[in-house]
Amino acid sequence: MTKVVITQSIYDQAPQLLAEAGIPYFYHQGDTWSPAELKEQIREATVVVCLLADKMTAEVMDAAPHLKLIANVAVGYDNIDIPAATERGILVTNTPDVLTETTADLAFALILAVARRIPEADAYMRAGKYTRFALFPDMIGTDVYGKTLGIVGLGRIGTAVARRAALGFNMKVLYTADSPKPDVERELGVIHVPFPDLLPESDFISIHVPLSPRTRHLFTMNEFRQMRGNACIINTARGPIIKEADLVEALQKGLIGGAALDVFEEEPQMHPGLADMKDRLVVTPHVGSATIQTRQKMATLAVQNVIAFLTGQPPLTPVNPQVL
Ligand code: GLV
């Protein structure tokens, strides 16, 4: 019999959709399972609805011999061993598109926050340090409007960030991508450049590539040295794209102007050196898609994939459709 296991809390109307479709499910709403607990809990499962914190390795899949579908409630799927799933005939689905604009909003919020030092200013106010207006206050920032933004990866989210930058902030937008995107270039005037050129020419660099062996540690001390001394790096993609120890060193040595991070190399930890940085660093706890509207849409899309799969319809957003 079909067994659907939802590994963590998702928007409750999504499991309700399963109930309405007459599909029984087990909905775990407690802490993230350890790998051993995950293996134990999905032993009888045909379908697993999971989140980024659930590491769906080959070993975990092998503990679930009936597993046919992994529905990830996320657009990224680096928590899932896709070749292992494909080899085992397990379909994987994700939740693209529904979170594009929300994540681009956060990337832009981080650009503004690090440029204008908003968290520092907030802490300053709360500490009662604002005693007189000064033309050159302690926390003088840098402009965003009219500056150059370098986008690493002009996919859906990268393009949504480029649109905000070009149309809303009159920024010059450079981008890297495996191949040029003439449509976006025509629409927004963005310019395709090789990665080594983007580094020294950008005031802000925003990362929008998936994590892969090619992008792991794309930013190390070598890249920070090539950036402008006042440039800021923004990461709303995946933590390991930046070598965090090197970022700490680059910030400490003043090689770059600042960083704003929503993702971390060893989530949910962050490098102790980062936590010690008092300024020029903005950190948020992986909240790129965290609005009520978008999280509802993500959970719903994941469950719609489950229902489609179990009722013989084509899944809406398959990652490895070749298994079908
Ligand atoms: C979040 O990081 C996602 O991939 O959806």
Side-chain angles (χ1 to χ4, degrees), residues 56-94:
M56 299 299 293
T57 59
E59 192 186 326
V60 168
M61 292 175 207
D62 285 339
H66 312 291
L67 191 56
K68 291 280 175 285
L69 170 66
I70 300 172
N72 211 32
V73 189
V75 63
Y77 39 81
D78 47 287
N79 57 315
I80 303 169
D81 184 338
I82 302 294
T86 306
E87 228 171 76
R88 289 159 179 74
I90 300 170
L91 179 71
V92 177
T93 60
N94 66 340

mmCIF file of all heavy atoms in Angstrom, residues 56-94:
data_model
loop_
_atom_site.group_PDB
_atom_site.id
_atom_site.type_symbol
_atom_site.label_atom_id
_atom_site.label_comp_id
_atom_site.label_asym_id
_atom_site.label_seq_id
_atom_site.Cartn_x
_atom_site.Cartn_y
_atom_site.Cartn_z
ATOM 1 N N MET A 56 18.975 12.995 1.387
ATOM 2 C CA MET A 56 18.512 11.780 0.724
ATOM 3 C C MET A 56 19.672 11.158 -0.050
ATOM 4 O O MET A 56 19.812 11.338 -1.258
ATOM 5 C CB MET A 56 17.325 12.112 -0.197
ATOM 6 C CG MET A 56 16.114 12.682 0.534
ATOM 7 S SD MET A 56 15.394 11.561 1.785
ATOM 8 C CE MET A 56 14.760 10.241 0.759
ATOM 9 N N THR A 57 20.490 10.442 0.689
ATOM 10 C CA THR A 57 21.673 9.790 0.112
ATOM 11 C C THR A 57 21.272 8.421 -0.455
ATOM 12 O O THR A 57 20.168 7.919 -0.201
ATOM 13 C CB THR A 57 22.717 9.558 1.211
ATOM 14 O OG1 THR A 57 22.094 8.740 2.216
ATOM 15 C CG2 THR A 57 23.170 10.863 1.846
ATOM 16 N N ALA A 58 22.232 7.816 -1.172
ATOM 17 C CA ALA A 58 21.989 6.475 -1.708
ATOM 18 C C ALA A 58 21.674 5.513 -0.561
ATOM 19 O O ALA A 58 20.790 4.656 -0.663
ATOM 20 C CB ALA A 58 23.223 6.014 -2.481
ATOM 21 N N GLU A 59 22.365 5.676 0.556
ATOM 22 C CA GLU A 59 22.172 4.787 1.713
ATOM 23 C C GLU A 59 20.750 4.942 2.275
ATOM 24 O O GLU A 59 20.089 3.948 2.600
ATOM 25 C CB GLU A 59 23.212 5.161 2.766
ATOM 26 C CG GLU A 59 23.335 4.162 3.870
ATOM 27 C CD GLU A 59 24.280 4.665 4.966
ATOM 28 O OE1 GLU A 59 25.266 5.362 4.641
ATOM 29 O OE2 GLU A 59 23.990 4.368 6.137
ATOM 30 N N VAL A 60 20.286 6.184 2.341
ATOM 31 C CA VAL A 60 18.921 6.410 2.840
ATOM 32 C C VAL A 60 17.913 5.800 1.864
ATOM 33 O O VAL A 60 16.950 5.138 2.264
ATOM 34 C CB VAL A 60 18.673 7.934 3.049
ATOM 35 C CG1 VAL A 60 17.192 8.215 3.281
ATOM 36 C CG2 VAL A 60 19.509 8.457 4.221
ATOM 37 N N MET A 61 18.158 5.983 0.573
ATOM 38 C CA MET A 61 17.231 5.405 -0.422
ATOM 39 C C MET A 61 17.203 3.879 -0.301
ATOM 40 O O MET A 61 16.154 3.257 -0.432
ATOM 41 C CB MET A 61 17.660 5.799 -1.840
ATOM 42 C CG MET A 61 17.484 7.281 -2.132
ATOM 43 S SD MET A 61 18.139 7.694 -3.769
ATOM 44 C CE MET A 61 18.563 9.415 -3.496
ATOM 45 N N ASP A 62 18.356 3.289 -0.058
ATOM 46 C CA ASP A 62 18.414 1.828 0.037
ATOM 47 C C ASP A 62 17.676 1.296 1.261
ATOM 48 O O ASP A 62 17.299 0.131 1.300
ATOM 49 C CB ASP A 62 19.878 1.349 0.031
ATOM 50 C CG ASP A 62 20.468 1.448 -1.365
ATOM 51 O OD1 ASP A 62 19.675 1.486 -2.333
ATOM 52 O OD2 ASP A 62 21.702 1.509 -1.485
ATOM 53 N N ALA A 63 17.466 2.179 2.227
ATOM 54 C CA ALA A 63 16.697 1.758 3.402
ATOM 55 C C ALA A 63 15.193 1.764 3.119
ATOM 56 O O ALA A 63 14.397 1.343 3.955
ATOM 57 C CB ALA A 63 17.021 2.698 4.574
ATOM 58 N N ALA A 64 14.822 2.281 1.942
ATOM 59 C CA ALA A 64 13.387 2.381 1.596
ATOM 60 C C ALA A 64 13.149 1.666 0.276
ATOM 61 O O ALA A 64 13.054 2.294 -0.783
ATOM 62 C CB ALA A 64 12.996 3.858 1.494
ATOM 63 N N PRO A 65 13.053 0.342 0.293
ATOM 64 C CA PRO A 65 13.012 -0.420 -0.965
ATOM 65 C C PRO A 65 11.779 -0.146 -1.831
ATOM 66 O O PRO A 65 11.797 -0.444 -3.024
ATOM 67 C CB PRO A 65 13.040 -1.881 -0.489
ATOM 68 C CG PRO A 65 12.700 -1.855 0.957
ATOM 69 C CD PRO A 65 13.066 -0.512 1.495
ATOM 70 N N HIS A 66 10.711 0.457 -1.222
ATOM 71 C CA HIS A 66 9.498 0.711 -2.035
ATOM 72 C C HIS A 66 9.458 2.134 -2.585
ATOM 73 O O HIS A 66 8.492 2.518 -3.230
ATOM 74 C CB HIS A 66 8.235 0.479 -1.191
ATOM 75 C CG HIS A 66 8.256 -0.815 -0.435
ATOM 76 N ND1 HIS A 66 8.170 -2.030 -1.066
ATOM 77 C CD2 HIS A 66 8.392 -1.090 0.897
ATOM 78 C CE1 HIS A 66 8.256 -2.990 -0.155
ATOM 79 N NE2 HIS A 66 8.400 -2.444 1.042
ATOM 80 N N LEU A 67 10.499 2.908 -2.299
ATOM 81 C CA LEU A 67 10.471 4.337 -2.625
ATOM 82 C C LEU A 67 10.417 4.568 -4.143
ATOM 83 O O LEU A 67 11.215 4.029 -4.903
ATOM 84 C CB LEU A 67 11.733 5.009 -2.035
ATOM 85 C CG LEU A 67 11.763 6.529 -2.049
ATOM 86 C CD1 LEU A 67 10.558 7.125 -1.326
ATOM 87 C CD2 LEU A 67 13.059 7.040 -1.409
ATOM 88 N N LYS A 68 9.434 5.398 -4.553
ATOM 89 C CA LYS A 68 9.259 5.675 -5.990
ATOM 90 C C LYS A 68 9.336 7.166 -6.293
ATOM 91 O O LYS A 68 9.533 7.569 -7.431
ATOM 92 C CB LYS A 68 7.871 5.156 -6.450
ATOM 93 C CG LYS A 68 7.743 3.647 -6.449
ATOM 94 C CD LYS A 68 8.405 3.078 -7.715
ATOM 95 C CE LYS A 68 8.435 1.566 -7.740
ATOM 96 N NZ LYS A 68 9.435 1.000 -6.833
ATOM 97 N N LEU A 69 9.082 8.002 -5.264
ATOM 98 C CA LEU A 69 9.067 9.447 -5.518
ATOM 99 C C LEU A 69 9.631 10.198 -4.309
ATOM 100 O O LEU A 69 9.247 9.933 -3.169
ATOM 101 C CB LEU A 69 7.616 9.928 -5.764
ATOM 102 C CG LEU A 69 7.408 11.450 -5.817
ATOM 103 C CD1 LEU A 69 8.105 12.072 -7.025
ATOM 104 C CD2 LEU A 69 5.920 11.788 -5.855
ATOM 105 N N ILE A 70 10.539 11.150 -4.602
ATOM 106 C CA ILE A 70 11.006 12.087 -3.578
ATOM 107 C C ILE A 70 10.546 13.464 -4.031
ATOM 108 O O ILE A 70 10.970 13.952 -5.086
ATOM 109 C CB ILE A 70 12.544 12.066 -3.432
ATOM 110 C CG1 ILE A 70 13.033 10.665 -3.047
ATOM 111 C CG2 ILE A 70 13.007 13.108 -2.412
ATOM 112 C CD1 ILE A 70 14.561 10.505 -3.071
ATOM 113 N N ALA A 71 9.651 14.076 -3.271
ATOM 114 C CA ALA A 71 9.142 15.410 -3.617
ATOM 115 C C ALA A 71 9.804 16.411 -2.675
ATOM 116 O O ALA A 71 9.468 16.484 -1.493
ATOM 117 C CB ALA A 71 7.615 15.438 -3.485
ATOM 118 N N ASN A 72 10.758 17.167 -3.210
ATOM 119 C CA ASN A 72 11.522 18.109 -2.393
ATOM 120 C C ASN A 72 10.758 19.424 -2.328
ATOM 121 O O ASN A 72 10.315 19.935 -3.360
ATOM 122 C CB ASN A 72 12.887 18.341 -3.060
ATOM 123 C CG ASN A 72 14.002 18.624 -2.082
ATOM 124 O OD1 ASN A 72 13.974 18.109 -0.956
ATOM 125 N ND2 ASN A 72 14.987 19.392 -2.490
ATOM 126 N N VAL A 73 10.612 19.969 -1.109
ATOM 127 C CA VAL A 73 9.942 21.266 -0.979
ATOM 128 C C VAL A 73 11.038 22.338 -1.039
ATOM 129 O O VAL A 73 11.408 22.955 -0.048
ATOM 130 C CB VAL A 73 9.128 21.358 0.332
ATOM 131 C CG1 VAL A 73 8.261 22.614 0.330
ATOM 132 C CG2 VAL A 73 8.265 20.115 0.527
ATOM 133 N N ALA A 74 11.567 22.538 -2.223
ATOM 134 C CA ALA A 74 12.670 23.481 -2.479
ATOM 135 C C ALA A 74 12.936 23.450 -3.974
ATOM 136 O O ALA A 74 12.647 22.444 -4.634
ATOM 137 C CB ALA A 74 13.946 23.059 -1.736
ATOM 138 N N VAL A 75 13.510 24.537 -4.470
ATOM 139 C CA VAL A 75 13.897 24.497 -5.891
ATOM 140 C C VAL A 75 15.233 23.781 -6.044
ATOM 141 O O VAL A 75 15.429 23.008 -6.976
ATOM 142 C CB VAL A 75 13.929 25.915 -6.518
ATOM 143 C CG1 VAL A 75 14.969 26.814 -5.871
ATOM 144 C CG2 VAL A 75 14.181 25.838 -8.019
ATOM 145 N N GLY A 76 16.167 24.022 -5.093
ATOM 146 C CA GLY A 76 17.455 23.340 -5.130
ATOM 147 C C GLY A 76 17.278 21.907 -4.644
ATOM 148 O O GLY A 76 16.371 21.620 -3.851
ATOM 149 N N TYR A 77 18.134 21.002 -5.136
ATOM 150 C CA TYR A 77 17.974 19.603 -4.712
ATOM 151 C C TYR A 77 19.331 18.968 -4.437
ATOM 152 O O TYR A 77 19.535 17.776 -4.651
ATOM 153 C CB TYR A 77 17.162 18.794 -5.733
ATOM 154 C CG TYR A 77 17.465 19.121 -7.172
ATOM 155 C CD1 TYR A 77 18.556 18.583 -7.828
ATOM 156 C CD2 TYR A 77 16.655 20.006 -7.877
ATOM 157 C CE1 TYR A 77 18.839 18.894 -9.138
ATOM 158 C CE2 TYR A 77 16.931 20.347 -9.195
ATOM 159 C CZ TYR A 77 18.021 19.780 -9.823
ATOM 160 O OH TYR A 77 18.306 20.107 -11.129
ATOM 161 N N ASP A 78 20.263 19.789 -3.949
ATOM 162 C CA ASP A 78 21.584 19.249 -3.631
ATOM 163 C C ASP A 78 21.547 18.372 -2.379
ATOM 164 O O ASP A 78 22.544 17.742 -2.036
ATOM 165 C CB ASP A 78 22.607 20.380 -3.476
ATOM 166 C CG ASP A 78 22.087 21.508 -2.613
ATOM 167 O OD1 ASP A 78 21.221 22.261 -3.100
ATOM 168 O OD2 ASP A 78 22.510 21.617 -1.447
ATOM 169 N N ASN A 79 20.403 18.328 -1.681
ATOM 170 C CA ASN A 79 20.242 17.408 -0.550
ATOM 171 C C ASN A 79 19.902 15.990 -1.023
ATOM 172 O O ASN A 79 19.802 15.073 -0.213
ATOM 173 C CB ASN A 79 19.138 17.897 0.393
ATOM 174 C CG ASN A 79 17.788 18.072 -0.294
ATOM 175 O OD1 ASN A 79 17.721 18.633 -1.385
ATOM 176 N ND2 ASN A 79 16.726 17.599 0.323
ATOM 177 N N ILE A 80 19.699 15.857 -2.336
ATOM 178 C CA ILE A 80 19.298 14.545 -2.877
ATOM 179 C C ILE A 80 20.369 14.068 -3.853
ATOM 180 O O ILE A 80 20.812 14.833 -4.712
ATOM 181 C CB ILE A 80 17.939 14.658 -3.613
ATOM 182 C CG1 ILE A 80 16.863 15.214 -2.671
ATOM 183 C CG2 ILE A 80 17.511 13.314 -4.187
ATOM 184 C CD1 ILE A 80 15.575 15.609 -3.366
ATOM 185 N N ASP A 81 20.758 12.817 -3.728
ATOM 186 C CA ASP A 81 21.705 12.240 -4.682
ATOM 187 C C ASP A 81 20.894 11.856 -5.927
ATOM 188 O O ASP A 81 20.278 10.784 -5.985
ATOM 189 C CB ASP A 81 22.394 11.023 -4.035
ATOM 190 C CG ASP A 81 23.472 10.425 -4.929
ATOM 191 O OD1 ASP A 81 23.422 10.644 -6.162
ATOM 192 O OD2 ASP A 81 24.361 9.741 -4.388
ATOM 193 N N ILE A 82 20.891 12.750 -6.913
ATOM 194 C CA ILE A 82 20.034 12.546 -8.092
ATOM 195 C C ILE A 82 20.485 11.316 -8.914
ATOM 196 O O ILE A 82 19.635 10.489 -9.258
ATOM 197 C CB ILE A 82 19.976 13.820 -8.979
ATOM 198 C CG1 ILE A 82 19.445 15.014 -8.161
ATOM 199 C CG2 ILE A 82 19.126 13.589 -10.236
ATOM 200 C CD1 ILE A 82 18.016 14.901 -7.697
ATOM 201 N N PRO A 83 21.786 11.156 -9.187
ATOM 202 C CA PRO A 83 22.171 9.953 -9.933
ATOM 203 C C PRO A 83 21.748 8.663 -9.206
ATOM 204 O O PRO A 83 21.263 7.722 -9.835
ATOM 205 C CB PRO A 83 23.703 10.055 -10.026
ATOM 206 C CG PRO A 83 23.985 11.518 -9.894
ATOM 207 C CD PRO A 83 22.922 12.069 -8.980
ATOM 208 N N ALA A 84 21.868 8.671 -7.865
ATOM 209 C CA ALA A 84 21.466 7.468 -7.109
ATOM 210 C C ALA A 84 19.959 7.241 -7.232
ATOM 211 O O ALA A 84 19.496 6.106 -7.384
ATOM 212 C CB ALA A 84 21.861 7.617 -5.639
ATOM 213 N N ALA A 85 19.188 8.329 -7.192
ATOM 214 C CA ALA A 85 17.732 8.197 -7.329
ATOM 215 C C ALA A 85 17.400 7.659 -8.719
ATOM 216 O O ALA A 85 16.607 6.710 -8.867
ATOM 217 C CB ALA A 85 17.063 9.549 -7.096
ATOM 218 N N THR A 86 18.032 8.235 -9.725
ATOM 219 C CA THR A 86 17.742 7.836 -11.110
ATOM 220 C C THR A 86 18.095 6.356 -11.311
ATOM 221 O O THR A 86 17.312 5.598 -11.893
ATOM 222 C CB THR A 86 18.536 8.744 -12.081
ATOM 223 O OG1 THR A 86 18.221 10.103 -11.756
ATOM 224 C CG2 THR A 86 18.180 8.468 -13.530
ATOM 225 N N GLU A 87 19.241 5.979 -10.805
ATOM 226 C CA GLU A 87 19.683 4.573 -10.911
ATOM 227 C C GLU A 87 18.661 3.614 -10.295
ATOM 228 O O GLU A 87 18.457 2.509 -10.788
ATOM 229 C CB GLU A 87 20.964 4.435 -10.087
ATOM 230 C CG GLU A 87 22.114 3.734 -10.740
ATOM 231 C CD GLU A 87 23.329 3.904 -9.845
ATOM 232 O OE1 GLU A 87 23.399 3.205 -8.811
ATOM 233 O OE2 GLU A 87 24.175 4.779 -10.159
ATOM 234 N N ARG A 88 18.011 4.069 -9.230
ATOM 235 C CA ARG A 88 17.040 3.229 -8.527
ATOM 236 C C ARG A 88 15.625 3.400 -9.059
ATOM 237 O O ARG A 88 14.665 2.887 -8.471
ATOM 238 C CB ARG A 88 17.079 3.543 -7.018
ATOM 239 C CG ARG A 88 18.346 3.044 -6.353
ATOM 240 C CD ARG A 88 18.644 3.761 -5.059
ATOM 241 N NE ARG A 88 19.854 3.238 -4.423
ATOM 242 C CZ ARG A 88 21.097 3.486 -4.854
ATOM 243 N NH1 ARG A 88 21.284 4.241 -5.923
ATOM 244 N NH2 ARG A 88 22.149 2.969 -4.244
ATOM 245 N N GLY A 89 15.473 4.203 -10.138
ATOM 246 C CA GLY A 89 14.139 4.421 -10.714
ATOM 247 C C GLY A 89 13.256 5.288 -9.837
ATOM 248 O O GLY A 89 12.026 5.208 -9.899
ATOM 249 N N ILE A 90 13.871 6.112 -8.991
ATOM 250 C CA ILE A 90 13.081 6.982 -8.104
ATOM 251 C C ILE A 90 12.968 8.355 -8.753
ATOM 252 O O ILE A 90 13.979 8.984 -9.095
ATOM 253 C CB ILE A 90 13.767 7.111 -6.714
ATOM 254 C CG1 ILE A 90 13.897 5.742 -6.049
ATOM 255 C CG2 ILE A 90 13.012 8.096 -5.833
ATOM 256 C CD1 ILE A 90 14.776 5.743 -4.781
ATOM 257 N N LEU A 91 11.732 8.817 -8.917
ATOM 258 C CA LEU A 91 11.512 10.151 -9.482
ATOM 259 C C LEU A 91 11.757 11.202 -8.392
ATOM 260 O O LEU A 91 11.391 10.998 -7.236
ATOM 261 C CB LEU A 91 10.069 10.269 -9.993
ATOM 262 C CG LEU A 91 9.706 11.632 -10.597
ATOM 263 C CD1 LEU A 91 10.398 11.851 -11.947
ATOM 264 C CD2 LEU A 91 8.193 11.766 -10.764
ATOM 265 N N VAL A 92 12.376 12.316 -8.801
ATOM 266 C CA VAL A 92 12.561 13.444 -7.882
ATOM 267 C C VAL A 92 11.833 14.646 -8.470
ATOM 268 O O VAL A 92 11.917 14.898 -9.684
ATOM 269 C CB VAL A 92 14.064 13.772 -7.705
ATOM 270 C CG1 VAL A 92 14.252 14.995 -6.809
ATOM 271 C CG2 VAL A 92 14.815 12.566 -7.130
ATOM 272 N N THR A 93 11.104 15.377 -7.620
ATOM 273 C CA THR A 93 10.483 16.632 -8.076
ATOM 274 C C THR A 93 10.947 17.757 -7.153
ATOM 275 O O THR A 93 11.351 17.519 -6.013
ATOM 276 C CB THR A 93 8.942 16.545 -8.064
ATOM 277 O OG1 THR A 93 8.499 16.268 -6.728
ATOM 278 C CG2 THR A 93 8.422 15.474 -9.001
ATOM 279 N N ASN A 94 10.880 18.989 -7.668
ATOM 280 C CA ASN A 94 11.264 20.165 -6.855
ATOM 281 C C ASN A 94 10.187 21.240 -6.983
ATOM 282 O O ASN A 94 9.095 20.956 -7.520
ATOM 283 C CB ASN A 94 12.648 20.673 -7.282
ATOM 284 C CG ASN A 94 12.665 21.233 -8.698
ATOM 285 O OD1 ASN A 94 11.785 20.945 -9.508
ATOM 286 N ND2 ASN A 94 13.659 22.023 -9.003
#
